[in-house]
Amino acid sequence: MERKFPNLSKPIQIGNVYFRNRMFGAPMGGTDITKDCTIGPKTKAFYENRAKGGAATVTVSELVVHPKTEASHMFHLDLQTVDSLASFTYTADAIRRHGAIPSVELSHSGQYAGTYLVDKDKKESISQWGPSPGTRPDGREVKELTHDLIQEIVESYGEKAALAKKAGFEMVMVHGGHGWLINQFLSPYFNQRTDEYGGSLENRVRFAKEVLECIRKSVGPGFPIEFRMSGSELFEGGYDLAEGVKIAQLLEDKIDLLHVSAGTYQRGFGITHPSMFLPHGPNVYLAEEIKKHVSIPVATVGALNDPAMMEEIIASGKADVVEMARALLADPELPKKVMTNQDDKIIHCLRCFVCMAERAVTSTRRCTVNPVIGREMDGMEIQPALKKKKVLIAGAGPGGLQAAITAAKRGHEVILCEKNDEVGGILIGEQAIPFKYEMYQLGVTLGKLAVEEGVDIRLNTAVDKAYAEKEQADVIIVAAGSSPIVPPIKGLNGGNVIIVNDYHHKKDQVKESVAVLGGGLAGCEIAIHFAREGKEVSLIEMNGELAPDANIRHRPLMLQEIEKCGIQVYKNHKGMEVTNDGVICQNEEGKEVLIKGRTVVCALGQKPRRDVVDELVDCAPIVKTIGDCIKASTITTAVYQGHHAALDI
């Protein structure tokens, strides 16, 4: 077979272990952690699901090596806790039986210990330890690690690595980046020690060396040790790429794979986990430069989900391995699709941060485009239907498309009707905003998958009562979506006004100054787009906050981008009238002010298309409603409801 991506598909030997391709599953936290900090059954299923998809490795995140000084949020491994070793053993086995190499991340958060503890009382009661004493930005005291504690922690890395090997893991990843403890020792910003662990670079690297030497002694020769580091800390006072190269050189004889990431979690979340506002693969240059100076294999990570880009990275020698986390949540079968030349069927990660926001807020895991993630044990597998039924779906947005795919996979006869001339629904408009293009691409890909499953897609076809009664379907799924809210503001129907949903049709009509009316998610993001195009942008919001419903990971980065782009923000300003010069608003003092903009974009939200629901409610024995036609919500909600509606038939 001639593979489309031969370098990406090529096996690699690291240590004494062979990996089936160059696509590695980077660590990403599981979905349930027991009160004893063991791996719960849902987490085991979560990792197994990624192994089934063809990744060369699946890395369990994070094994807390020294609970005494960390008391952190993730997994512990010891011989005293019932089911601790067993839970790791079952997880390693679940990964390995699908051909992936099970790996586990060994971690210590140092002064950020307990950051993500759900138990806030416990969080407040624990001590934070770091290389040097000080005070965190949030006011928490940081205690300096003593020599005795340093040696305890070093030994605990070795103990945990040995136990992981005993459990069946065939590689370990040592987390030495992102502002956690090892990185804190490496960093001149965090490390102010004056003993043998501080000062010169050789001293700052000492702790990492001792950790890696202890692990090697515990696991023996040939057992792969992967070391994750930040190629550069990317903030003032931290180490730069030149020093990152030297760190790599000082450690390379202790490790088998150097995993080059970027930044620090606490000072650059959107860099360490690149947001949609950054290009894909923004941190590859760090791995590329470091690889020139070391003789061991190098991995790169960060916003990688395009096989062509990943193939080029390896073919050109920028890295030997590409690692993915979010991309394998969106589509666990991405590696398998790459290996079988089916890259056009990949469901791409949107970089929307729903996965990481859910983790922080509810300690669970969710993915916008993959309804199964985090719920692998909830009976969501697609099983053949006992009786084939005729299913009519009204609306080919993300919810309708997902419902059609799932229903067709179950063996039903599926007719998917769309009143417009292409599928995708509200996602169609995202094609005009470069950093949201993958949302548009999602609709296109789901459409392809629906056709492949035999769905009868009928474009330019609105489903009304007469049409539904003519089709005589057993089940109707109403996925009619929403329509833009256009309140009766004087002038809002003028020629200088563009409804945000229609922007992709009217790009050429936008003038050099723009007033965006509505500071919700859509308004904020299109304002950023206009500012990036060099336009003068004003963003008007009647309430006191911008996009309060945006998830807690995406929103701060979006607000930073608004500030960076120089967008003029007018909060507590109510639009009263649109003129040729802009929007006349009432400010919080009750005064009228003109906010200038030769083009006005209306982004005042969406309302459910309840009229379609009401018309079709009695047109089949079973009528289901999903997505925005129930309540204007998110892509996540639409996809989940579409999948479940089809499972319930």
Side-chain angles (χ1 to χ4, degrees):
M1 173 181 174
E2 184 175 347
R3 300 195 191 275
K4 187 175 178 180
F5 306 101
N7 292 284
L8 201 52
S9 303
K10 187 184 299 181
I12 185 172
Q13 181 181 358
I14 299 174
N16 289 340
V17 176
Y18 289 89
F19 299 80
R20 58 187 173 186
N21 56 56
R22 304 300 178 95
M23 294 168 281
F24 284 25
M28 198 163 202
T31 60
D32 62 333
I33 305 170
T34 71
K35 65 179 181 180
D36 293 323
C37 292
T38 64
I39 300 175
K42 288 187 177 182
T43 292
K44 179 176 74 69
F46 166 76
Y47 289 123
E48 181 172 10
N49 186 40
R50 296 171 76 190
K52 290 177 183 177
T57 68
V58 174
T59 303
V60 173
S61 165
E62 306 171 56
L63 169 54
V64 174
V65 298
H66 195 249
K68 174 180 170 181
T69 52
E70 173 140 23
S72 194
H73 59 297
M74 288 298 287
F75 304 118
H76 300 175
L77 176 58
D78 57 58
L79 296 177
Q80 290 74 47
T81 304
V82 176
D83 280 342
S84 179
L85 181 61
S87 73
F88 275 82
T89 303
Y90 283 127
T91 302
D93 179 64
I95 294 168
R96 192 65 181 89
R97 63 182 171 231
H98 299 288
I101 300 301
S103 180
V104 63
E105 180 182 38
L106 307 179
S107 182
H108 193 302
S109 301
Q111 68 168 291
Y112 293 105
T115 299
Y116 304 106
L117 279 174
V118 176
D119 185 340
K120 302 306 179 187
D121 291 334
K122 184 175 181 180
K123 178 179 175 179
E124 291 301 317
S125 68
I126 64 176
S127 297
Q128 266 69 36
W129 297 88
S132 304
T135 304
R136 295 191 337 188
D138 62 359
R140 299 296 301 276
E141 180 189 359
V142 179
K143 298 180 180 180
E144 183 178 73
L145 285 166
T146 64
H147 279 71
D148 287 345
L149 280 175
I150 288 173
Q151 290 311 305
E152 267 191 48
I153 293 170
V154 167
E155 291 169 10
S156 71
Y157 271 96
E159 291 167 3
K160 298 306 184 282
L163 285 172
K165 181 180 179 181
K166 184 175 184 178
F169 285 87
E170 297 177 56
M171 182 165 73
V172 293
M173 173 192 286
V174 180
H175 197 339
H178 299 177
W180 302 134
L181 184 61
I182 293 177
N183 178 244
Q184 290 163 28
F185 271 92
L186 297 174
S187 173
Y189 177 85
F190 292 107
N191 187 346
Q192 302 297 318
R193 298 178 76 102
T194 57
D195 61 6
E196 69 271 29
Y197 291 101
S200 68
L201 179 61
E202 287 74 14
N203 280 355
R204 284 185 277 126
V205 172
R206 189 181 307 279
F207 177 66
K209 277 188 171 182
E210 290 180 355
V211 165
L212 293 168
E213 287 168 353
C214 187
I215 291 172
R216 176 59 69 202
K217 183 178 178 181
S218 298
V219 298
F223 187 91
I225 299 174
E226 178 178 5
F227 185 75
R228 171 182 262 189
M229 67 173 288
S230 295
S232 170
E233 290 190 277
L234 299 174
F235 72 89
E236 188 175 349
Y239 65 78
D240 59 12
L241 177 55
E243 196 159 59
V245 168
K246 293 177 182 177
I247 292 169
Q249 290 175 319
L250 289 169
L251 294 177
E252 67 172 312
D253 65 337
K254 314 289 182 189
I255 57 181
D256 302 285
L257 176 64
L258 184 63
H259 174 144
V260 181
S261 186
T264 65
Y265 201 88
Q266 302 78 18
R267 290 175 167 267
F269 179 87
I271 296 171
T272 299
H273 312 84
S275 75
M276 65 171 62
F277 302 117
L278 292 177
H280 286 281
N283 301 325
V284 172
Y285 76 98
L286 298 168
E288 180 182 11
E289 181 59 29
I290 288 174
K291 182 169 166 54
K292 296 174 184 176
H293 302 278
V294 297
S295 58
I296 58 174
V298 171
T300 187
V301 70
L304 297 170
N305 66 7
D306 176 22
M309 173 184 275
M310 294 188 287
E311 173 72 11
E312 190 278 331
I313 287 169
I314 295 175
S316 63
K318 295 174 184 174
D320 303 284
V321 166
V322 294
E323 305 227 8
M324 294 169 279
R326 289 175 290 171
L328 297 184
L329 296 188
D331 193 342
E333 293 193 340
L334 185 155
K336 186 184 294 183
K337 291 174 181 177
V338 167
M339 297 283 288
T340 55
N341 299 343
Q342 298 182 81
D343 53 297
D344 61 327
K345 297 174 186 174
I346 292 170
I347 303 293
H348 291 277
C349 167
L350 306 182
R351 295 193 288 172
C352 60
F353 286 129
V354 163
C355 56
M356 306 191 83
E358 192 77 26
R359 179 78 184 155
V361 173
T362 66
S363 299
T364 61
R365 184 71 75 190
R366 191 184 294 272
C367 173
T368 289
V369 299
N370 188 342
V372 176
I373 290 301
R375 288 141 183 86
E376 291 84 357
M377 296 184 67
D378 289 357
M380 295 175 66
E381 301 86 0
I382 298 174
Q383 302 289 353
L386 295 177
K387 183 179 180 181
K388 180 179 178 180
K389 294 182 179 179
K390 183 176 183 180
V391 181
L392 175 64
I393 302 175
L401 286 164
Q402 184 63 59
I405 293 166
T406 302
K409 284 183 174 181
R410 297 193 63 221
H412 296 301
E413 176 191 353
V414 182
I415 300 168
L416 176 61
C417 295
E418 170 53 51
K419 63 184 178 64
N420 296 309
D421 60 1
E422 63 179 311
V423 302
I426 201 168
L427 303 179
I428 295 170
E430 309 295 14
Q431 64 186 287
I433 302 177
F435 59 82
K436 297 179 74 176
Y437 187 81
E438 276 160 327
M439 294 185 182
Y440 166 71
Q441 189 179 34
L442 171 64
V444 173
T445 304
L446 290 176
K448 286 181 181 178
L449 295 175
V451 170
E452 184 178 84
E453 295 298 335
V455 175
D456 179 3
I457 298 179
R458 301 176 184 178
L459 301 176
N460 301 304
T461 304
V463 178
D464 56 16
K465 185 175 182 180
Y467 191 93
E469 290 178 345
K470 182 189 72 173
E471 287 297 331
Q472 291 292 296
D474 299 301
V475 178
I476 294 176
I477 298 176
V478 185
S482 57
S483 56
I485 295 173
V486 185
I489 296 173
K490 184 179 179 181
L492 200 54
N493 58 351
N496 63 331
V497 177
I498 297 174
I499 307 300
V500 67
N501 307 53
D502 300 330
Y503 166 64
H504 61 295
H505 291 309
K506 301 181 178 182
K507 290 190 296 181
D508 296 338
Q509 298 178 25
V510 180
K511 306 300 182 183
E512 71 280 358
S513 63
V514 186
V516 178
L517 187 56
L521 192 59
C524 288
E525 290 175 345
I526 202 166
I528 292 168
H529 165 64
F530 290 139
R532 286 184 166 191
E533 288 192 327
K535 294 178 170 58
E536 183 181 336
V537 184
S538 298
L539 181 59
I540 304 164
E541 170 55 44
M542 68 181 294
N543 297 308
E545 288 186 282
L546 295 177
D549 294 334
N551 75 62
I552 66 167
R553 292 302 190 195
H554 179 68
R555 184 172 182 267
L557 298 171
M558 182 180 67
L559 296 180
Q560 288 174 20
E561 199 68 23
I562 287 171
E563 183 177 0
K564 185 171 75 174
C565 289
I567 295 168
Q568 293 296 313
V569 177
Y570 296 88
K571 301 175 188 175
N572 298 304
H573 280 64
K574 183 178 180 181
M576 305 299 290
E577 181 181 350
V578 175
T579 72
N580 290 332
D581 297 318
V583 183
I584 297 173
C585 296
Q586 185 181 73
N587 65 19
E588 54 189 331
E589 285 83 32
K591 296 179 181 179
E592 287 193 353
V593 295
L594 174 65
I595 298 174
K596 293 183 178 181
R598 292 190 61 201
T599 298
V600 175
V601 173
C602 177
L604 293 171
Q606 299 288 124
K607 59 183 179 181
R609 296 186 65 216
R610 290 297 310 178
D611 55 326
V612 180
V613 177
D614 294 341
E615 184 175 359
L616 299 178
V617 69
D618 293 319
C619 292
I622 298 174
V623 177
K624 298 173 176 287
T625 55
I626 63 170
D628 275 10
C629 67
I630 303 172
K631 177 185 177 182
S633 186
T634 62
I635 302 170
T636 313
T637 300
V639 169
Y640 270 63
Q641 291 180 351
H643 183 67
H644 279 285
L647 288 181
D648 290 344
I649 298 171

